[in-house]
Each structure stands twice: as structure tokens, then as C-alpha cells.
Amino acid sequence: MTTKSACLVTLEGDGIGPEIMAATVAVLGAAADRFGLTLDLEDHSIGFSALDRHGTTFPESVLEAARAADGTILGPVSHNEYPPAAKGGLNPSGQLRKRLDLYANIRPARTLPGLTPAVGKPVDLVVVRENTEGFYADRNMYAGSGEMMPTPDVALAVRNVTRKACLRIAEAAFALARERRGKVTSVHKANVLRLSDGLYLECTREVAARHPDIEYEEKIIDAMAALLVRDPGAFDVIVTTNMYGDILSDEASELSGSLGLAASLNAGEEAAVAQAQHGSAPDIAGRDIANPASLIGSSGMLLEWLARRGKDAAFAEAGRAIGAALEAAIADPATRTHDLGGPLGTDAFARVVVSKLAAS
């Protein structure tokens, strides 16, 4: 393929997934037309639809397709409702993150024009979350699960923290801070988890020493959760381990205006997966009321990642234009979705974003 073309795998997922994926595909098509890109979109089945057809929620063919493609767009999944893994109930998100080594989960949180932040203070930060280990039992072991029950009344969880993972997530955070406002906050609980969080903190300090031009500070996780509410403007790039990052990024996104707007990119050295930060919302599936902004914004992040990995600079321009078109649509109360107090459904909102793209 030329540097102005890319193959993207699309995975609709469950619940509202098909609706917000259709909206995202429409916006991607408009961006491709606007910037002269060729996007080959290859759809594959995951989740409940794949379970019905193939006996598993994540067929091996999907992994191979994602590995061969330039990037993947993953819709939300209802993995809490899946059968046990032994009966085919695999979490597609966890499988992709672990098996494609998507070690960095990049989650920006920014208050958009026209929206009032939850605590009255604007938010503009990025959570850089380690994505492949920690307490997440479906991805922290080579074989088996990180959770076990030696007796019916005892449950144990194993946490996996490695020097390699800590060093590379810290490097990703410092690289991003250099493109932003030049500050990194490392979040930990080393005062209690002295060995595991201690190793993580040792690694972030080592990386900080290699980047003396970047401001560096450390916060304990419980204090950090409170400080985000008190003074979100004090933070630029937040780097942390898997579970802390999952929690803090949801908090930051809700404080910025809405979790439904939160974009997310799972990135590694060779692959990336764009993914909405929210869930599959089966209670509103099929009603054309879901807000597709999170998945649309995530797809824009994926296009920018492709440019950084050698694709034409037009991919980055297209990704930024998608973000700008989303902002323009959300800034006007008349073109917002229902969850933001507006009158539009999923499809109508996507058409507004397409029109904003075409006019840019």
C-alpha cells in the first residue's frame, strides 16, 4: 500500500457497538475524501455475534486480521455477560491488548468548548496507562488466570509488575509530555505496595532522570483522585499502572464533561487499536440515541498514530480534522446528542460531523 492508504479492521462489538461503528465509518469516509486517503475497511465479527457463529467471542482469525492490518477500531463489548473463557467467552479488548502488546493506553480528557465541566474547572490532560499487566487477571499471566480460589471461601489475585513494562510506559509518557506542556505526574501506592509499586516508581524515576527538561512529580493514588477534583488544571500527563490508570482516566473524562466523549488509543510498537472508553450500553442499543463521539474521536487518534508510524502526513491532518469537527458539532447545543441535552440521535450527529469535516 502507498503511504496515503491504510487497511483498518473494524470490530463492531456488542450493544450500541454496531450503531456507533456505522457513525465512525461514515466520518472516516468523509475524512478520507477530504484529505485524499484510501481506507480499506475490513469488518470482522466479535462478541455475541461471533459466539453464535464460531463458538467464541474472539476468533483467532480476528487476531490475525488485526495483526496484518495497519490499525483496528474496536467497538464496545459486553464481556461481563460472556460465558466463561473455557466456553468461548474471551474479552476481545484484553486479548488484543495482550497479544498485540499494546502496552500504552492513551486517554486524553479535555473540556470541549460549550460544555461545562463537572466541577466548574476546565480539564486538559492525558492519562498514560500501562496496558498489559497489573491486577488484570485476563492478561497478566503467560498461562492461566491471575485470580484463583484455593477454597470456596478464599479468593486470591496476583499482580504482575515488570521493569520492562514500567520503563516503556514511562518513556511513552515523557515523549507525550514533550509534545504538550512538559510535565509528568507519576501515580503510585508505593507507601503500601512497597515492592510492586516500588519497582514501578524506581522505573519512572530512572526515565525522569533521562529527561531533565520535563517537569516530574509523584502522587499517591488516593491523593491523586482527590486532587483531580480539586485542581485538574495542575496536571498535564499522568502516567501510572493499569488499574490506577483505568480509574483515573474515567474520573478525568467525567470531570471534563462526559465519559461519552472520551477517546482512547491502545498503542504498541507495531499495532494500535482505537477504542471507545465507555461500555456497550445494551439498554439503549438499537434506539439511535447513543453518542458516537468517543469512538469517532478514537479513530481520529488512530489516524494520527498512523502518521507517526510512517504513513503520509495527511493521516495526521485527517485525525486532527476529525477532532475539530467533533468539537464544532458539540459546541452548538442544536447539534448535540441526547445525552448532552441536544436533539440529535446517533446517525444525525454523525451527519453533522461529516458536514463539518467537508466544510473544514
Side-chain angles (χ1 to χ4, degrees):
M1 285 188 174
T2 71
T3 59
K4 294 198 75 170
S5 63
C7 174
L8 302 180
V9 166
T10 57
L11 308 172
E12 291 183 343
D14 304 308
I16 61 174
E19 297 164 84
I20 66 172
M21 183 65 76
T24 299
V25 167
V27 172
L28 283 172
D33 290 343
R34 172 71 177 77
F35 292 94
L37 304 175
T38 300
L39 298 181
D40 178 16
L41 302 182
E42 183 181 306
D43 185 57
H44 288 264
S45 177
I46 59 167
F48 282 118
S49 62
L51 186 65
D52 291 341
R53 298 177 193 173
H54 307 293
T56 176
T57 55
F58 189 75
E60 281 295 306
S61 58
V62 173
L63 177 69
E64 295 310 312
R67 182 173 283 131
D70 293 301
T72 299
I73 304 173
L74 173 63
V77 293
S78 302
H79 63 91
N80 283 339
E81 308 302 322
Y82 292 168
K87 295 184 179 181
L90 301 174
N91 179 359
S93 177
Q95 290 290 309
L96 288 165
R97 292 176 184 186
K98 179 178 179 179
R99 299 175 71 181
L100 295 180
D101 198 24
L102 307 176
Y103 63 87
N105 188 197
I106 311 299
R107 292 184 165 185
R110 185 166 67 89
T111 303
L112 299 183
L115 293 183
T116 302
V119 292
K121 300 175 182 178
V123 178
D124 183 5
L125 57 84
V126 180
V127 175
V128 179
R129 166 194 174 199
E130 202 292 315
N131 213 23
T132 60
E133 52 183 36
F135 270 122
Y136 283 68
D138 63 344
R139 70 203 71 162
N140 67 357
M141 304 285 283
Y142 172 73
S145 171
E147 288 190 308
M148 61 204 80
M149 292 188 71
T151 77
D153 301 314
V154 177
L156 304 175
V158 175
R159 185 185 191 213
N160 180 23
V161 176
T162 66
R163 187 176 301 275
K164 175 184 176 181
C166 294
L167 288 172
R168 66 183 181 177
I169 198 63
E171 288 286 4
F174 276 84
L176 184 57
R178 180 161 282 107
E179 299 174 1
R180 289 175 49 86
R181 301 193 302 276
K183 180 180 178 181
V184 170
T185 302
S186 179
V187 178
H188 65 95
K189 191 68 176 176
N191 58 320
V192 174
L193 299 169
R194 296 186 182 275
L195 294 180
S196 53
D197 270 18
L199 174 59
Y200 158 78
L201 206 54
E202 177 186 328
C203 292
T204 60
R205 289 170 178 172
E206 178 182 330
V207 173
R210 293 200 288 266
H211 302 274
D213 57 318
I214 302 296
E215 181 183 353
Y216 174 73
E217 66 177 3
E218 298 167 357
K219 300 292 182 185
I220 295 173
I221 176 61
D222 42 321
M224 185 67 199
L227 289 169
L228 269 182
V229 176
R230 181 193 299 174
D231 188 15
F235 303 103
D236 180 22
V237 175
I238 299 167
V239 63
T240 190
T241 52
N242 202 337
M243 184 175 290
Y244 303 157
D246 201 1
I247 296 167
L248 288 177
S249 58
D250 277 12
E251 180 189 8
S253 294
E254 195 62 34
L255 289 173
S256 70
S258 171
L259 184 61
L261 304 177
S264 174
L265 186 72
N266 304 284
E269 297 301 328
E270 304 296 334
V273 174
Q275 181 181 16
Q277 198 170 316
H278 56 72
S280 60
D283 56 319
I284 61 170
R287 296 169 57 189
D288 189 42
I289 60 174
N291 187 342
S294 178
L295 193 61
I296 293 172
S298 301
S299 72
M301 292 181 68
L302 178 60
L303 296 187
E304 293 190 67
W305 180 87
L306 288 171
R308 291 194 295 272
R309 291 306 188 275
K311 291 292 184 182
D312 193 274
F315 276 92
E317 295 175 28
R320 290 190 292 268
I322 287 174
L326 275 173
E327 284 193 24
I330 293 167
D332 185 350
T335 55
R336 294 176 187 164
T337 46
H338 296 288
D339 58 307
L340 298 178
L344 301 187
T346 311
D347 183 63
F349 178 79
R351 290 198 301 270
V352 170
V353 177
V354 166
S355 70
K356 300 289 186 184
L357 261 174
S360 64

